[in-house]
mmCIF file of all heavy atoms in Angstrom:
data_model
loop_
_atom_site.group_PDB
_atom_site.id
_atom_site.type_symbol
_atom_site.label_atom_id
_atom_site.label_comp_id
_atom_site.label_asym_id
_atom_site.label_seq_id
_atom_site.Cartn_x
_atom_site.Cartn_y
_atom_site.Cartn_z
ATOM 1 N N THR A 593 0.951 23.213 9.188
ATOM 2 C CA THR A 593 -0.267 22.979 8.406
ATOM 3 C C THR A 593 -1.490 23.506 9.138
ATOM 4 O O THR A 593 -2.351 24.170 8.546
ATOM 5 C CB THR A 593 -0.428 21.482 8.114
ATOM 6 O OG1 THR A 593 0.644 21.055 7.262
ATOM 7 C CG2 THR A 593 -1.750 21.186 7.433
ATOM 8 N N VAL A 610 3.819 44.532 -1.023
ATOM 9 C CA VAL A 610 5.166 44.126 -0.614
ATOM 10 C C VAL A 610 6.177 44.920 -1.431
ATOM 11 O O VAL A 610 6.113 44.934 -2.668
ATOM 12 C CB VAL A 610 5.380 42.613 -0.849
ATOM 13 C CG1 VAL A 610 6.826 42.219 -0.521
ATOM 14 C CG2 VAL A 610 4.405 41.799 -0.007
ATOM 15 N N LEU A 680 22.100 34.374 -7.403
ATOM 16 C CA LEU A 680 22.709 35.097 -8.530
ATOM 17 C C LEU A 680 22.990 36.552 -8.175
ATOM 18 O O LEU A 680 23.933 37.159 -8.694
ATOM 19 C CB LEU A 680 21.804 35.025 -9.763
ATOM 20 C CG LEU A 680 21.704 33.673 -10.474
ATOM 21 C CD1 LEU A 680 20.784 33.776 -11.682
ATOM 22 C CD2 LEU A 680 23.087 33.177 -10.899
ATOM 23 N N SER A 711 11.332 20.055 -11.635
ATOM 24 C CA SER A 711 11.195 21.480 -11.968
ATOM 25 C C SER A 711 10.502 21.586 -13.314
ATOM 26 O O SER A 711 11.144 21.613 -14.364
ATOM 27 C CB SER A 711 12.568 22.158 -12.010
ATOM 28 O OG SER A 711 12.417 23.548 -12.225
ATOM 29 N N PHE A 727 7.207 5.831 -8.093
ATOM 30 C CA PHE A 727 8.422 5.165 -7.600
ATOM 31 C C PHE A 727 8.065 4.097 -6.572
ATOM 32 O O PHE A 727 8.656 3.018 -6.557
ATOM 33 C CB PHE A 727 9.372 6.196 -6.995
ATOM 34 C CG PHE A 727 10.412 6.688 -7.955
ATOM 35 C CD1 PHE A 727 10.044 7.351 -9.112
ATOM 36 C CD2 PHE A 727 11.762 6.480 -7.726
ATOM 37 C CE1 PHE A 727 11.001 7.802 -10.012
ATOM 38 C CE2 PHE A 727 12.729 6.924 -8.616
ATOM 39 C CZ PHE A 727 12.344 7.596 -9.765
ATOM 40 N N SER A 760 -2.634 44.421 -10.375
ATOM 41 C CA SER A 760 -2.326 45.608 -9.554
ATOM 42 C C SER A 760 -3.212 45.685 -8.319
ATOM 43 O O SER A 760 -3.251 46.694 -7.631
ATOM 44 C CB SER A 760 -2.495 46.872 -10.394
ATOM 45 O OG SER A 760 -3.829 46.962 -10.868
ATOM 46 N N ASN A 786 3.943 3.518 1.332
ATOM 47 C CA ASN A 786 3.010 2.432 1.059
ATOM 48 C C ASN A 786 2.360 1.908 2.332
ATOM 49 O O ASN A 786 1.662 0.887 2.286
ATOM 50 C CB ASN A 786 3.718 1.287 0.328
ATOM 51 C CG ASN A 786 4.890 0.724 1.120
ATOM 52 O OD1 ASN A 786 5.129 1.139 2.258
ATOM 53 N ND2 ASN A 786 5.628 -0.215 0.539
ATOM 54 N N ASN A 800 -0.149 13.176 -16.010
ATOM 55 C CA ASN A 800 0.540 14.429 -16.368
ATOM 56 C C ASN A 800 0.659 14.486 -17.888
ATOM 57 O O ASN A 800 1.307 13.636 -18.487
ATOM 58 C CB ASN A 800 1.930 14.448 -15.730
ATOM 59 C CG ASN A 800 1.875 14.194 -14.229
ATOM 60 O OD1 ASN A 800 1.614 15.093 -13.446
ATOM 61 N ND2 ASN A 800 2.101 12.940 -13.829
ATOM 62 N N SER A 808 4.018 29.903 -23.140
ATOM 63 C CA SER A 808 3.429 30.573 -21.975
ATOM 64 C C SER A 808 1.911 30.679 -22.030
ATOM 65 O O SER A 808 1.314 31.343 -21.179
ATOM 66 C CB SER A 808 4.019 31.979 -21.815
ATOM 67 O OG SER A 808 3.745 32.754 -22.958
ATOM 68 N N ASN A 833 -18.674 12.074 -11.608
ATOM 69 C CA ASN A 833 -19.728 12.362 -10.627
ATOM 70 C C ASN A 833 -19.396 11.845 -9.226
ATOM 71 O O ASN A 833 -20.174 12.049 -8.288
ATOM 72 C CB ASN A 833 -21.085 11.833 -11.094
ATOM 73 C CG ASN A 833 -21.093 10.321 -11.254
ATOM 74 O OD1 ASN A 833 -20.170 9.640 -10.811
ATOM 75 N ND2 ASN A 833 -22.121 9.800 -11.903
ATOM 76 N N ASP A 849 -7.755 30.603 -16.341
ATOM 77 C CA ASP A 849 -9.054 30.302 -15.737
ATOM 78 C C ASP A 849 -10.058 29.858 -16.799
ATOM 79 O O ASP A 849 -10.878 28.959 -16.566
ATOM 80 C CB ASP A 849 -9.577 31.528 -14.986
ATOM 81 C CG ASP A 849 -8.697 31.900 -13.797
ATOM 82 O OD1 ASP A 849 -7.653 31.252 -13.608
ATOM 83 O OD2 ASP A 849 -9.055 32.843 -13.066
ATOM 84 N N THR A 885 -2.313 20.938 -2.385
ATOM 85 C CA THR A 885 -2.661 19.546 -2.085
ATOM 86 C C THR A 885 -2.831 19.354 -0.581
ATOM 87 O O THR A 885 -3.757 18.662 -0.128
ATOM 88 C CB THR A 885 -1.570 18.598 -2.620
ATOM 89 O OG1 THR A 885 -1.538 18.677 -4.044
ATOM 90 C CG2 THR A 885 -1.837 17.157 -2.200
ATOM 91 N N GLN A 905 -18.224 37.118 -9.126
ATOM 92 C CA GLN A 905 -19.157 36.754 -10.203
ATOM 93 C C GLN A 905 -18.421 36.010 -11.315
ATOM 94 O O GLN A 905 -17.241 36.260 -11.571
ATOM 95 C CB GLN A 905 -19.833 38.002 -10.769
ATOM 96 C CG GLN A 905 -18.885 39.061 -11.298
ATOM 97 C CD GLN A 905 -19.621 40.268 -11.843
ATOM 98 O OE1 GLN A 905 -20.699 40.132 -12.413
ATOM 99 N NE2 GLN A 905 -19.051 41.448 -11.697
ATOM 100 N N VAL A 949 -9.818 0.768 0.595
ATOM 101 C CA VAL A 949 -8.513 1.051 0.015
ATOM 102 C C VAL A 949 -8.274 0.172 -1.198
ATOM 103 O O VAL A 949 -8.516 -1.031 -1.176
ATOM 104 C CB VAL A 949 -7.394 0.815 1.052
ATOM 105 C CG1 VAL A 949 -6.025 0.823 0.368
ATOM 106 C CG2 VAL A 949 -7.435 1.881 2.114
#
Side-chain angles (χ1 to χ4, degrees):
T593 295
V610 176
L680 288 181
S711 185
F727 265 61
S760 60
N786 59 4
N800 307 278
S808 60
N833 62 12
D849 295 4
T885 295
Q905 57 180 325
V949 168

